[in-house]
């Protein structure tokens, strides 16, 4: 199945029909939901990433990580679900849009980075003890990758509509 076929399948799916056939407000409300999800994800993760990069060292990482991970997780799920609806509306029209091919790998990199962060010994250790300099620099790198990938996803997502 080619990428175009997958997009044609998504467009013809019940989700695509629901997005197009349930009234004028459907797309706008789903779009608003998408942006609220993105705002929750990025707004919270920005604080954590800047902390990992070395700002506000007086704030304990262990006090920040639990609320940030909860809010960012909810925002991510909201963005993924509403984004699928937006894409299904006119999926075939996005084939060939270069910003889509920037956005999805950026989201993939952001998710891979979250997975690696949670698996790292430094992240597990931050809840129970002070981190060694080597662990702090590992988390700093991951904070930088996170910031770069979500900023790229947001910028490319915004640009999709202007192509
Ligand atoms: C499965 C995941 C996702 C899909 C399928 C998806 C799909 C889409 C689509 C189709 C649009 C509308 C483009 C247009 O204007 O025609 C959009 C907009 C956008 N997306 Fe996503 N998205 C997803 C996740 C995300 C994530 C995780 C972020 C950010 C971290 C994001 C950021 C944005 C932004 C900033 C816009 C612009 C909204 C606007 O200008 O009103 N998206 N997305």
């Amino acid at each position: 199945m080619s990428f175009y076929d997958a997009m044609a399948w998504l467009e013809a799916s019940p989700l695509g029909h629901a997005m197009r056939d349930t009234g004028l407000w459907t797309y706008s409300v789903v779009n608003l939901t998408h942006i609220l999800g993105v705002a929750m994800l990025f707004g919270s993760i920005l604080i954590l990433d800047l902390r990992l990069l070395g700002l506000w060292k007086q704030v304990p990482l262990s006090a920040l990580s639990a609320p940030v991970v909860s809010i960012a997780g909810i925002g991510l799920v909201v963005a993924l679900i509403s984004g699928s609806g937006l894409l299904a509306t006119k999926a075939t029209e996005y084939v060939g849009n270069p910003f889509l091919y920037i956005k999805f790998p950026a989201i993939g990199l952001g998710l891979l980075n979250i997975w690696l962060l949670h698996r790292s010994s430094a992240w597990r250790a931050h809840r129970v003890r002070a981190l060694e300099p080597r662990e702090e620099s590992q988390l700093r790198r991951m904070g930088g990758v996170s910031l770069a990938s979500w900023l790229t996803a947001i910028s490319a997502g915004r640009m999709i509509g202007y192509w």
Side-chain angles (χ1 to χ4, degrees):
M1 193 192 241
S2 68
F3 183 58
Y4 186 89
D5 291 341
M7 290 297 108
W9 174 85
L10 182 63
E11 195 172 301
S13 70
L15 179 62
H17 279 289
M19 286 296 300
R20 290 186 302 273
D21 306 337
T22 51
L24 271 181
W25 284 94
T26 307
Y27 187 87
S28 21
V29 170
V30 175
N31 197 17
L32 171 64
T33 310
H34 195 57
I35 281 306
L36 290 176
V38 172
M40 279 175 78
L41 167 67
F42 189 68
S44 54
I45 223 163
L46 173 67
I47 306 287
L48 180 64
D49 288 346
L50 292 177
R51 172 64 183 77
L52 294 180
L53 283 167
L55 269 74
W56 309 302
K57 286 218 159 160
Q58 72 278 15
V59 179
L61 185 55
S62 56
L64 207 61
S65 59
V68 164
V69 168
S70 310
I71 302 295
I74 295 170
L76 178 65
V77 171
V78 170
L80 294 178
I81 294 172
S82 53
S84 306
L86 296 179
L87 188 63
T89 310
K90 43 179 181 172
T92 52
E93 284 181 30
Y94 291 116
V95 176
N97 188 319
F99 293 108
L100 201 72
Y101 304 107
I102 296 173
K103 177 177 172 169
F104 286 145
I107 293 174
L109 180 63
L111 294 178
L112 175 69
N113 190 57
I114 289 175
W115 184 69
L116 291 173
L117 178 81
H118 280 84
R119 288 196 60 210
S120 71
S121 53
W123 184 255
R124 281 194 228 123
H126 89 273
R127 294 193 191 91
V128 288
R129 61 168 170 80
L131 296 178
E132 294 161 13
R134 179 189 54 84
E135 294 172 325
E136 285 198 342
S137 59
Q138 186 190 12
L139 293 186
R140 195 175 310 123
R141 276 196 303 276
M142 288 174 148
V145 172
S146 171
L147 211 51
S149 52
W150 296 121
L151 273 174
T152 306
I154 291 178
S155 309
R158 189 68 190 92
M159 290 302 132
I160 287 172
Y162 293 109
W163 180 252

